Amino acid sequence: MLTMSYSPLFLSLKIAAIATLLVFIAGVLLARVISRNLFPGKSILESIFLLPLVLPPTVVGFGLLYLFGKNGILGKWLMDWFGVQVVFSWIGAVIAAVVVSFPLMYQSASAAFQNYDSNVENAALTMGASRLKVFFTISFPLAWPGLLAGTILTFARALGEFGATLMIAGYIPGQTDTIPLAIYFAVESGRMEQAKMWVLIIVALGFSSTLWLNWWTKRNTLSFKSKP
Amino acid sequence: MLKLNFQKRLNQYLLDIKASFQNEIIILFGPSGSGKTTTLNCIAGLSHPDSGIIELNGQLLFEERSKVPVQKRRMGYLFQDYALFPHMTVQKNIQYGSNDNELAQQLTEVVGIQHLMDSYPHQISGGEKQRVALARALATKPRVLLLDEPFSSLDQSTKNQCHQELMRLHQMWQIPIILVTHDKEEARKLGDRIFPIDQGKLGSPDDFW
């Protein structure tokens, strides 16, 4: 009989959900501001945004430890001002998930905001709409399919984050044991049945979200196709 | 009266526009890349000149230190590809910038698109899109109407119909209409005055003939 705690499932979902929300807001705003403007240093900035995608997660984890560790610049500041400890806490796991999944959201959002004719925004401006109104009534709805795709990828990536999480949040049962960490430590200690169970759950979550995304994208990209 | 006297540095040349327009149909005639669209954008406030002034009925819309923002200029702008909002019905498109339902209703009748109100832009033809875009631009009661090669993607008979319509609307509306084209026949047919433009230099109407 399997006796196991379900806390890794709920913890993983909580961390992935919070990370996705933060990444969504930051990714959409930055992509909207940056993607359609040309300015010096744009390529460098975008390369920095995409860096976590190409670096080994351990390098990202090392960088985060450096910044958020007890003696790191941000870690010390957060501790002194807010009494918040990032390392070895679920907050550290959220930060790791945010950093590694951000490039996926940024790329999707950036492509989504360039995927429609920019004159529709100009047309709305000439009709007297404020920039905020244009964003919420024109840009956002037109970019929505791409933004949603980015959100799903972000969530799936945040759910699966392992390396950076291990380095900054460690493995503390009940506090930082997300599913990927639980799998690793179950295998380490020879609890193969438990590992299998978590593997099945995370494969099911990942598969169902990408399947739903594919279905949804196909259904929605057909609708705005223009008559020749 | 619309007075233009402005300069803007572009990649290949200096855009230098000096002219004043009454309530007439003005044609900017010239090849691609001659600065026609940039001129319209400067008038609309979508981009700004480097120096000079733009003045409409005594109000300064642009001078170096003060720029009236695009939203406050009340310019109707018809883009080359119409730029209809693809996720809104024809009705929502037309009412986007104005709450004046009566005017919207009147406009849809004038351009003959009452039967399309619940359609989406991808469900209607090129000529119909053109009419919707025209009604949408006029729904905000613009003080000037700017048209960027509005008929270039239409077939000849639809084009002729749209020409008639534009002239009829101009009769009713009496505002300056500035139309950009590289079609000589269209220019001759519609224009009260035709300004050739090349490499950013605006010629005089005499040069066209």
Side-chain angles (χ1 to χ4, degrees), chain A residues 117 119-131 133-134 137-138 141-142 222-228, chain B residues 44 46 70-71 74-75 77 79-81 83-88 93 96-97 121-125 129 136 140:
Chain A
D117 177 10
N119 273 343
V120 294
E121 291 170 334
N122 288 336
L125 289 173
T126 62
M127 279 181 257
S130 67
R131 299 222 172 242
K133 182 181 175 187
V134 174
T137 57
I138 308 289
L142 289 180
L222 290 175
S223 63
F224 289 155
K225 287 264 163 67
S226 189
K227 233 162 96 168
Chain B
L46 290 169
V70 48
Q71 293 96 335
R74 290 197 25 229
M75 299 282 172
Y77 199 148
F79 294 88
Q80 192 171 2
D81 40 16
L84 295 177
F85 309 134
H87 57 307
M88 294 184 194
N93 262 279
Y96 184 84
H122 69 274
Q123 296 168 319
I124 64 180
S125 71
K129 278 184 197 161
R136 185 178 75 169
T140 54

Side-chain angles (χ1 to χ4, degrees), chain A residues 166-187:
Chain A
L166 185 60
M167 289 194 63
I168 192 172
Y171 178 71
I172 306 169
Q175 282 184 55
T176 66
D177 56 339
T178 59
I179 297 177
L181 267 66
I183 293 169
Y184 181 79
F185 286 97
V187 171

Side-chain angles (χ1 to χ4, degrees), chain B residues 10-11 22 27 35 41 65 85 117 158 165 183 203 206:
Chain B
L10 300 178
N11 278 341
Q22 306 290 338
I27 307 284
N41 285 344
R65 286 201 199 119
F85 309 134
M117 296 311 272
T158 318
E165 223 149 68
D183 178 341
D206 301 330

Side-chain angles (χ1 to χ4, degrees), chain A residues 3-85:
Chain A
T3 50
M4 55 188 266
S5 151
Y6 283 95
S7 89
L9 175 62
F10 297 118
L11 188 70
S12 284
L13 290 175
K14 176 172 97 171
I15 288 168
I18 295 173
T20 304
L21 183 71
L22 296 175
V23 167
F24 180 82
I25 296 169
V28 168
L29 289 181
L30 286 169
R32 180 64 193 84
V33 172
I34 292 169
S35 67
R36 289 237 171 153
N37 291 314
L38 279 175
F39 53 88
K42 178 178 171 171
S43 310
I44 295 173
L45 193 64
E46 289 197 311
S47 302
I48 293 172
F49 287 166
L50 297 183
L51 210 51
L53 201 64
V54 293
L55 289 178
T58 44
V59 173
V60 175
F62 184 86
L64 290 177
L65 263 184
Y66 194 78
L67 282 176
F68 288 99
K70 283 185 180 134
N71 295 315
I73 310 167
L74 291 172
K76 208 165 162 28
W77 181 76
L78 284 170
M79 194 63 192
D80 291 348
W81 286 88
F82 302 101
V84 174
Q85 188 194 321

